[in-house]
Amino acid sequence: MSGSPLVNQLIEALRCLPGVGPKSAQRMAYHLLERERVAAENLSAVLAKAVNEVGHCELCRSLTERKVCDICESSNRDRTLLCIVESPSDVQVIEQSTDYKGLFFVLMGHLSPLDGIGPEDIGLDLLASRLDQGEVKEVVLATNFTIEGEATAHYISEMVNSRNIIASRIAHGVPVGGELEYVNSTTLSRAFSGRQNF
Amino acid sequence: MSHQNHRVSLQAAFILHGRNFRDTSRLLDVFTQDYGRVTLVAKGARSARSRLQGILQSFSPLIISWSGKGEVQTLTGAESVKNSINLSGKQVMSGYYINELLQRLTTFHDPHPEIFTLYQNTLERFATDEDELVLRHFEKHLLTEIGYGLNLESDSEGGTAIDKNEKYYYDIEKGPVKVRNNNAEGEIIISGQTLLDMADEKFSCAQSQKEAKQLMRIILSHHLGDKPLKTRSLHWYKPL
């Protein structure tokens, strides 16, 4: 540890980042202070600005510094399609790797009864009023394939079906490039029960 | 538990609850066949390359190994057993409920092989039997195994057999008491038929099913203390 209290404070602060332990925090701090002063100043300014200004989109709850995010505002997206995901990073990967052209709704988590996380905590009251507006014709459930994600998808599907809207779930099965021998048994049995005409 | 390093291999187990721990690990509350509940850390279980990702899920029968000393030990291996149990959406909610009951009514490192068998059978029965019936069966046998078994056969005052046409209230310390002139003020009144149905594990009518649920709720909350069940406080069954 360095003799400077401020440097130590910086190292300690950097440890809030995921995957950063004491050693890498120290490397980052020294790197910023010794070699990248300009970049460090830029980082601190942007970080402060982002923390102050970025909030949640009023429509999809994803992160944005405006009232409504770019995707929700865009005029060339299919407004009858609504995709439900657990986190803003899920929106990013879907945007980058698929040609999905509908809108999103971000739960910021999943239902977890044993942790006391219920429907309101993941914004399902907001989703309910969104569905009641009648614009959405199909809801695509893209929550994670964990037990909690499945329970969340099921709960939302009941909300959706009770309003006579179509609910669909993204497919699951053997990954592209995957060899059957190495796929875990639950995935493989799901892949078989969900097989399609070819 | 002792503080010497010990190693357990190939134990049948179910995960009751898990939460993320550090960057890539999971901290698991595991119910095992011969060692009762244990807390295990699954190191690296959330990393992209981990084989454990799809395996460490609740309600899925597992064979696990672990080692270490102290309260939290380290998971060293896990594989899912063939014929995994598939619960539908609503059954998952019921599954969470029985998981929470186990968490609240059993302690760590207290072996309960009978409850393990009960738990496993209960999850399997969700596939074929009506949910409410399965839950009442689980609650009744869980109470018996932890020493709070119910008296459903005879009037606790007088010892006569339960009459299906009489009304009773349930004294938690003693058992059913026949209702006569205002001795049941402030108690939940149930019919003798309900008590007999609970003993036989069937429901002869909707009324008996409802009363059994109410009675179980009162008895369980007595044993659970002041803290309500989380799975019950949320509005699961009526979607927004």
Side-chain angles (χ1 to χ4, degrees), chain A:
Chain A
M1 276 264 160
S2 121
S4 153
L6 195 53
V7 174
N8 286 343
Q9 215 182 327
L10 175 62
I11 293 171
E12 209 40 52
L14 285 167
R15 288 189 54 191
C16 71
L17 293 166
V20 176
K23 199 80 190 170
S24 21
Q26 192 177 330
R27 277 186 60 216
M28 288 177 184
Y30 280 112
H31 180 80
L32 289 172
L33 294 173
E34 282 175 21
R35 301 205 184 87
E36 300 276 7
R37 289 276 172 151
V38 181
E41 222 157 85
N42 185 33
L43 173 67
S44 75
V46 173
L47 186 61
K49 196 166 150 63
V51 168
N52 271 325
E53 294 177 13
V54 174
H56 295 290
C57 168
E58 281 181 357
L59 290 175
C60 72
R61 309 216 318 154
S62 139
L63 297 170
T64 175
E65 65 271 33
R66 291 183 296 164
K67 282 182 83 163
V68 175
C69 72
D70 286 347
I71 295 178
C72 291
E73 212 173 47
S74 167
S75 57
N76 46 23
R77 301 197 69 109
D78 183 349
R79 308 194 79 83
T80 61
L81 266 178
L82 185 66
C83 175
I84 315 280
V85 294
E86 290 186 20
S87 77
S89 53
D90 297 337
V91 175
Q92 285 308 316
V93 290
I94 294 174
E95 279 296 284
Q96 282 159 13
S97 38
T98 71
D99 51 6
Y100 176 74
K101 278 287 165 232
L103 301 179
F104 290 94
F105 187 86
V106 185
L107 301 173
M108 296 285 173
H110 48 234
L111 293 177
S112 182
L114 294 180
D115 297 312
I117 299 174
E120 280 90 2
D121 301 311
I122 55 169
L124 294 188
D125 41 349
L126 201 68
L127 179 65
S129 55
R130 174 84 171 267
L131 296 177
D132 286 334
Q133 286 164 13
E135 195 177 35
V136 177
K137 300 278 177 270
E138 180 182 346
V139 171
V140 183
L141 298 162
T143 52
N144 292 336
F145 283 98
T146 56
I147 290 282
E148 289 91 350
E150 289 280 3
T152 309
H154 171 79
Y155 188 93
I156 297 174
S157 75
E158 288 200 340
M159 280 171 64
V160 172
N161 290 331
S162 72
R163 288 168 173 83
N164 292 321
I165 299 171
I166 300 168
S168 56
R169 181 87 169 109
I170 54 169
H172 43 46
V174 182
V176 174
E179 293 178 32
L180 293 193
E181 193 184 345
Y182 298 110
V183 171
N184 79 53
S185 58
T186 323
T187 308
L188 198 55
S189 79
R190 294 274 193 96
F192 266 82
S193 59
R195 67 184 183 275
Q196 291 174 350
N197 291 336
F198 187 68

Side-chain angles (χ1 to χ4, degrees), chain B residues 85-233:
Chain B
I85 295 164
N86 279 323
L87 298 183
S88 77
K90 194 179 166 199
Q91 289 164 347
V92 167
M93 301 302 176
S94 302
Y96 280 128
Y97 168 72
I98 64 173
N99 281 7
E100 191 175 17
L101 280 184
L102 278 183
Q103 284 189 307
R104 293 285 298 277
L105 294 173
T106 64
T107 52
F108 285 106
H109 310 299
D110 192 5
H112 278 299
E114 340 64 41
I115 299 183
F116 187 86
T117 312
L118 171 68
Y119 180 80
Q120 187 160 21
N121 291 342
T122 302
L123 290 183
E124 282 162 6
R125 274 188 66 190
F126 276 127
T128 50
D129 294 343
E130 201 198 332
D131 290 9
E132 291 288 316
L133 208 59
V134 178
L135 288 176
R136 293 300 90 76
H137 172 87
F138 180 79
E139 291 164 339
K140 185 177 118 175
H141 289 272
L142 178 63
L143 285 172
T144 306
E145 294 299 344
I146 60 173
Y148 298 124
L150 306 178
N151 170 10
L152 300 168
E153 278 83 34
S154 60
D155 188 333
S156 62
E157 287 179 356
T160 50
I162 298 291
D163 182 342
K164 67 174 182 175
N165 298 318
E166 289 288 350
K167 297 280 177 204
Y168 295 84
Y169 74 88
Y170 200 92
D171 182 316
I172 287 166
E173 303 297 331
K174 290 185 283 184
V177 180
K178 195 187 285 182
V179 176
R180 43 184 113 70
N181 33 352
N182 300 336
N183 68 346
E185 218 165 295
E187 303 279 353
I188 296 279
I189 312 277
I190 45 175
S191 69
Q193 184 64 56
T194 302
L195 292 168
L196 294 172
D197 283 353
M198 284 171 79
D200 291 347
E201 293 173 12
K202 62 175 177 57
F203 295 119
S204 50
C205 61
Q207 180 66 17
S208 132
Q209 177 171 343
K210 198 176 144 206
E211 286 182 357
K213 188 174 181 169
Q214 284 175 337
L215 178 61
M216 269 303 182
R217 191 172 277 216
I218 290 166
I219 293 168
L220 283 170
S221 50
H222 174 79
H223 296 304
L224 289 165
D226 296 332
K227 213 171 113 198
L229 287 172
K230 287 173 189 156
T231 41
R232 202 180 268 158
S233 54

